[in-house]
Amino acid sequence: MRWIWIDKFVEFESGRRAVALKNVTLAEEHLHDHFPGFPVMPECLMIEAMAQTAGILVGEAKKFQEKVILAKIKKAVFFDYVRPGDTIELEANIESITQEAASTNGKITRSEKLIAEIDLMFSHIDRNLAGKEFPEENFVFGTGTSVFEPLLRDVLSDSRQKTEVKK
């Protein structure tokens, strides 16, 4: 089972920036145990949501030719709780991208209130671990198999339409 921690992209600037939304609901079973009587979204899941947002941004920048994996959490600072009923906005920016890796910075907000700052590093494993064998298929984006594809397709088609209108 793969858990998806973003619901929708609302902005996507290829190779530069992405903004995604996550709606937190009491229907998410893990909230019943974390913490009983005071359900909050675990910080590790907020990091995963940022990793999914930033990882898709990094992968798309290289047209998903590389297998992008989270390599390091450079910084994760949390300022407030996220509770059921909240909608959080995850903004990821590419700081640098090379053939072997990428570095991103990000922030999570709720109604413009800063919830977290999360900076991540990603590795392009096809380039970084020469000699190791990995499946040919991309881990996140495969041929018609990824749940992320429709989310990305929608936001990219919107941005392309806006670009065409400007011309």
Side-chain angles (χ1 to χ4, degrees):
M1 174 196 288
R2 181 175 280 199
W3 286 11
I4 308 305
W5 295 107
I6 56 177
D7 294 320
K8 174 183 180 177
F9 281 101
V10 292
E11 295 180 40
F12 200 95
E13 298 174 47
S14 182
R16 190 169 168 269
R17 178 177 175 269
V19 179
L21 298 180
K22 163 69 176 140
N23 296 301
V24 180
T25 74
L26 202 49
E28 297 173 43
E29 200 168 311
H30 61 276
L31 292 178
H32 296 269
D33 297 324
H34 192 88
F35 297 100
F38 186 74
V40 296
M41 184 175 183
E43 293 171 347
C44 61
L45 297 183
M46 287 189 264
I47 293 170
E48 177 61 25
M50 182 60 71
Q52 290 178 6
T53 303
I56 291 169
L57 176 64
V58 168
E60 193 278 337
K62 298 278 191 168
K63 307 297 181 227
F64 301 108
Q65 297 301 305
E66 304 289 340
K67 294 176 185 76
V68 176
I69 61 168
L70 178 61
K72 180 179 181 179
I73 301 167
K74 294 190 313 184
K75 175 174 105 173
V77 181
F78 296 88
F79 304 102
D80 203 358
Y81 296 111
V82 173
R83 310 253 348 239
D86 289 345
T87 296
I88 57 174
E89 184 176 278
L90 302 110
E91 179 182 343
N93 297 283
I94 292 179
E95 288 181 331
S96 66
I97 190 164
T98 66
Q99 194 173 17
E100 296 83 16
S103 177
T104 65
N105 64 52
K107 65 180 182 175
I108 298 175
T109 57
R110 176 189 58 235
S111 301
E112 298 183 20
K113 179 180 179 169
L114 185 62
I115 300 298
E117 294 175 338
I118 302 172
D119 299 346
L120 305 171
M121 292 196 70
F122 295 88
S123 178
H124 300 134
I125 62 170
D126 290 338
R127 304 280 185 195
N128 238 5
L129 298 174
K132 301 282 184 185
E133 289 190 30
F134 296 98
E136 284 302 313
E137 68 272 0
N138 193 301
F139 296 156
V140 177
F141 282 82
T143 338
T145 60
S146 173
V147 296
F148 290 120
E149 285 178 300
L151 299 176
L152 191 56
R153 183 180 54 239
D154 292 345
V155 75
L156 287 178
S157 67
D158 287 348
S159 67
R160 287 184 187 118
Q161 288 171 358
K162 288 176 187 173
T163 303
E164 289 171 10
V165 170
K166 288 180 185 178
K167 292 178 183 178

